[in-house]
Amino acid sequence: MFSWLEKNPFFFTVAFLVVFSVAGLVEILPNFGKSSMPLEGLKPYSLLETAGRQVYINEGCYNCHSQLIRPFQAETDRYGMASLSGEYAYDRPFLWGSRRIGPDLHRIGDSRTTDWHENHMLDPKSVVPASIMPAYKHLYTKNADFETAYAEAYTQMKVFDVPYNVENGVAIGANIDEAREIYLKEAEAIIDDMKSQDIKDAFKQGEVKEIVALIAYLNSLGQSRRTK
């Protein structure tokens, strides 16, 4: 049989491709499935972080910033550990981006603070003199969309079994009123670290501005998403 195949290049090529493809699938698929599972201890986005992620998407931040650190020394030296597939398990949609007009943000929470983001988003050149990023002053006056964030988190939990629970430190509450309490408590922790009196005064009136939600999201990008 094998001598017959050797004398028929076309069938030999077909047989080789079949065997090679099966072997490749046997080797690749199990590892692919394993790598796409959530990393141990990975937390889903909280309600405030989800609202901030919506701001990030609405403002088109992914057009200038990637969230994908490749395993090259030049990138890991600058941005931190290379990104892992399992870190994106709760990201819908992925925000990998395709351009780096600005730096990669996948681990920005490990190197920047709430105070830094507050100043940077209001006046980028005040902290990065060579920055070409525009100021996002409107984020300091617009309210974050709690209802949409809650609806998204609730859908993720019910449809995709995203583990919103006390055990991993991220819960959305038994109902929308409890969810709002959790949301406001998380916002208060961010606002306590901010300097803007307008933001603090608005919070006293029950308002959470988009900048607060965005900072919460940016702070979550990095090791803070892991419980272990």
Side-chain angles (χ1 to χ4, degrees):
M1 175 180 177
F2 293 110
S3 61
W4 178 83
L5 279 175
E6 292 175 356
K7 296 176 182 178
N8 293 272
F10 173 77
F11 292 107
F12 181 85
T13 301
V14 171
F16 172 80
L17 291 175
V18 170
V19 172
F20 184 82
S21 298
V22 171
L25 291 174
V26 169
E27 178 65 26
I28 293 172
L29 287 181
N31 290 329
F32 179 81
K34 182 179 179 180
S35 64
S36 64
M37 295 295 290
L39 293 181
E40 183 180 1
L42 183 71
K43 297 185 293 184
Y45 295 107
S46 69
L47 289 172
L48 186 64
E49 291 163 3
T50 298
R53 193 169 189 267
Q54 291 168 352
V55 174
Y56 185 97
I57 293 172
N58 292 340
E59 295 296 332
C61 301
Y62 53 85
N63 289 314
C64 294
H65 296 280
S66 62
Q67 287 192 35
L68 180 62
I69 305 170
R70 296 171 295 184
F72 305 142
Q73 185 173 354
E75 296 199 12
T76 56
D77 285 349
R78 182 177 183 185
Y79 301 125
M81 184 183 74
S83 301
L84 303 173
S85 297
E87 293 181 274
Y88 302 101
Y90 303 135
D91 286 31
R92 298 180 177 89
F94 299 126
L95 297 176
W96 292 329
S98 60
R99 305 176 72 189
R100 281 187 185 158
I101 296 173
D104 186 275
L105 301 181
H106 195 210
R107 306 204 186 285
I108 191 67
D110 296 338
S111 59
R112 302 302 185 198
T113 63
T114 293
D115 181 67
W116 190 92
H117 288 305
E118 180 183 9
N119 294 323
H120 183 243
M121 298 302 295
L122 186 63
D123 181 11
K125 290 184 180 297
S126 68
V127 291
V128 184
S131 176
I132 61 172
M133 190 177 93
Y136 285 83
K137 297 181 180 180
H138 59 283
L139 301 183
Y140 293 74
T141 58
K142 293 177 62 178
N143 289 335
D145 189 349
F146 163 75
E147 285 76 14
T148 300
Y150 175 75
E152 179 176 331
Y154 187 83
T155 301
Q156 297 266 7
M157 180 177 66
K158 293 298 184 180
V159 177
F160 299 107
D161 293 323
V162 174
Y164 282 102
N165 52 55
V166 176
E167 284 75 16
N168 63 22
V170 183
I172 63 172
N175 54 57
I176 194 168
D177 292 329
E178 186 176 329
R180 189 181 296 276
E181 291 181 11
I182 295 171
Y183 173 84
L184 291 175
K185 184 176 180 180
E186 185 179 1
E188 184 177 18
I190 297 292
I191 293 170
D192 283 345
D193 291 333
M194 297 179 69
K195 293 185 174 66
S196 172
Q197 190 60 46
D198 289 340
I199 297 293
K200 295 178 185 292
D201 290 341
F203 183 71
K204 292 178 182 178
Q205 303 300 318
E207 298 179 352
V208 176
K209 300 304 179 182
E210 287 190 338
I211 184 61
V212 178
L214 180 61
I215 289 175
Y217 171 63
L218 294 173
N219 285 347
S220 76
L221 298 178
Q223 290 303 310
S224 63
R225 291 203 62 202
R226 302 284 296 278
T227 58
K228 297 179 181 180

